Amino acid sequence: MSDEPEFLISYQDSAGGVPVLLIHGFPLSSLLWEPQMAELADVSRLIAPDLRGHGNTSASPPPYTMEQLAIDCVNLLDDIGINRPFVVMGLSMGGYIAFEVFRQYPGMVAGLILAGTRAGADSEEGKKGRDAAAKLVREQGVSALVEQMLPKLMAPAVYQDNPELVEFVREMMLETSVEGAIGGLMAMRGRADSLPTLLDIDVPTLIIHGTDDQLIPTSEAEAMHQAIHDSRLVIIPEAGHLVNLEQPEAFNDAVRAFLETF
Ligand code: MLT
């Protein structure tokens, strides 16, 4: 018996095709996947949860772990009757969770889409940054973290050229609860090193990265591509960390071509 409190997980679902679990990054929600929910529902069944404490999913007290977030996502699939292998698409922290799903549910992951993410764990300096960010949230609320992170989340040009997109992302981030933000930061801080996992990945994998990602360099995507046996790498120009939102057509073309092989 788990002593965890019961909570309801909010999610978006579409119809048809191989199931795809879409896991958003930090501190975002399933709204991140709006361009994919709109354009890819004919090729796959897309299930996009809000992680605990994010979007419309209730929070539990922090800290969270990647294991717990992975279990939340797969429990949701189970609850809605999906018991066949599925593709996992994760962006950034969603990618960290995707590695965890792959490790914890052998045989259930049919394919991986790793967008704007990296395999390594946090460095000591990175961990200090998580602690500082958690302190900021505790003392000044989520809006202070949003103002700190927002300028780095997309390609520099987006802030001049597409203020509507910047506002959309800001609003999405502000939906994160204090508990969810601290929980997510602690999950990222404590996450396992997934570099050894790369050599075990035996399912088709698509890696997508933006050339202008200010948070995770393209070299991380190239390194994952080198290490994962059956992987494709798509580098999308004029896209930052939120590559699927910033360049939805190029992103969707790559994902569609990949999903059509299932
Ligand atoms: C994310 O976009 O999910 C996070 O910013 C990733 C990270 O901080 O490592």
Side-chain angles (χ1 to χ4, degrees):
M1 276 278 286
S2 156
D3 55 6
E4 288 219 33
E6 287 276 318
F7 65 94
L8 286 176
I9 191 157
S10 170
Y11 67 100
Q12 301 184 53
D13 194 354
S14 74
V18 64
V20 184
L21 173 62
L22 288 75
I23 312 180
H24 64 77
F26 174 87
L28 302 165
S29 78
S30 63
L31 289 178
L32 173 73
W33 302 114
E34 201 170 73
Q36 288 65 54
M37 297 303 287
E39 297 297 331
L40 296 173
D42 60 315
V43 69
S44 293
R45 179 172 179 189
L46 309 175
I47 303 103
D50 291 343
L51 297 170
R52 61 170 79 192
H54 294 71
N56 290 319
T57 294
S58 50
S60 63
Y64 306 163
T65 64
M66 287 301 157
E67 291 88 337
Q68 201 174 32
L69 297 174
I71 292 168
D72 286 348
C73 292
V74 178
N75 281 351
L76 169 67
L77 298 186
D78 201 44
D79 288 348
I80 62 177
I82 293 175
N83 42 33
R84 57 175 279 197
F86 50 85
V87 172
V88 187
M89 170 150 83
L91 182 129
S92 197
M93 182 174 80
Y96 310 158
I97 300 170
F99 290 127
E100 204 57 57
V101 172
F102 179 82
R103 283 193 288 268
Q104 290 194 38
Y105 298 91
M108 286 308 283
V109 175
L112 285 167
I113 303 172
L114 302 169
T117 195
R118 58 155 49 103
D122 273 4
S123 62
E124 284 313 309
E125 196 190 335
K127 287 181 183 172
K128 284 190 191 134
R130 303 295 187 196
D131 292 338
K135 184 167 183 278
L136 182 72
V137 173
R138 250 188 314 270
E139 291 175 355
Q140 296 180 41
V142 170
S143 58
L145 180 69
V146 171
E147 294 319 313
Q148 188 183 78
M149 284 189 72
L150 187 59
K152 297 248 180 266
L153 273 185
M154 289 172 280
V158 172
Y159 299 88
Q160 267 119 51
D161 302 345
N162 197 345
E164 295 83 14
L165 183 59
V166 177
E167 273 322 293
F168 175 76
V169 172
R170 186 199 305 275
E171 292 302 317
M172 184 179 1
M173 296 170 87
L174 286 170
E175 289 303 309
T176 311
S177 64
V178 167
E179 288 184 315
I182 295 172
L185 286 163
M186 292 303 105
M188 291 192 285
R189 184 191 195 286
R191 75 184 188 278
D193 179 4
S194 292
L195 287 166
T197 303
L198 301 181
L199 303 176
D200 296 335
I201 294 177
D202 53 357
V203 295
T205 300
L206 173 63
I207 299 161
I208 310 182
H209 215 93
T211 48
D212 302 348
D213 191 323
Q214 301 189 71
L215 289 182
I216 299 182
T218 47
S219 56
E220 296 281 353
E222 282 153 8
M224 292 194 294
H225 176 48
Q226 290 291 318
I228 302 175
H229 170 66
D230 184 9
S231 64
R232 283 183 218 174
L233 173 63
V234 175
I235 302 282
I236 299 188
E238 293 173 38
H241 192 54
L242 305 186
V243 51
N244 69 305
L245 268 185
E246 294 175 58
Q247 294 297 342
E249 275 183 32
F251 185 91
N252 286 349
D253 285 351
V255 171
R256 175 178 290 279
F258 181 73
L259 290 176
E260 279 172 352
T261 65
F262 287 84

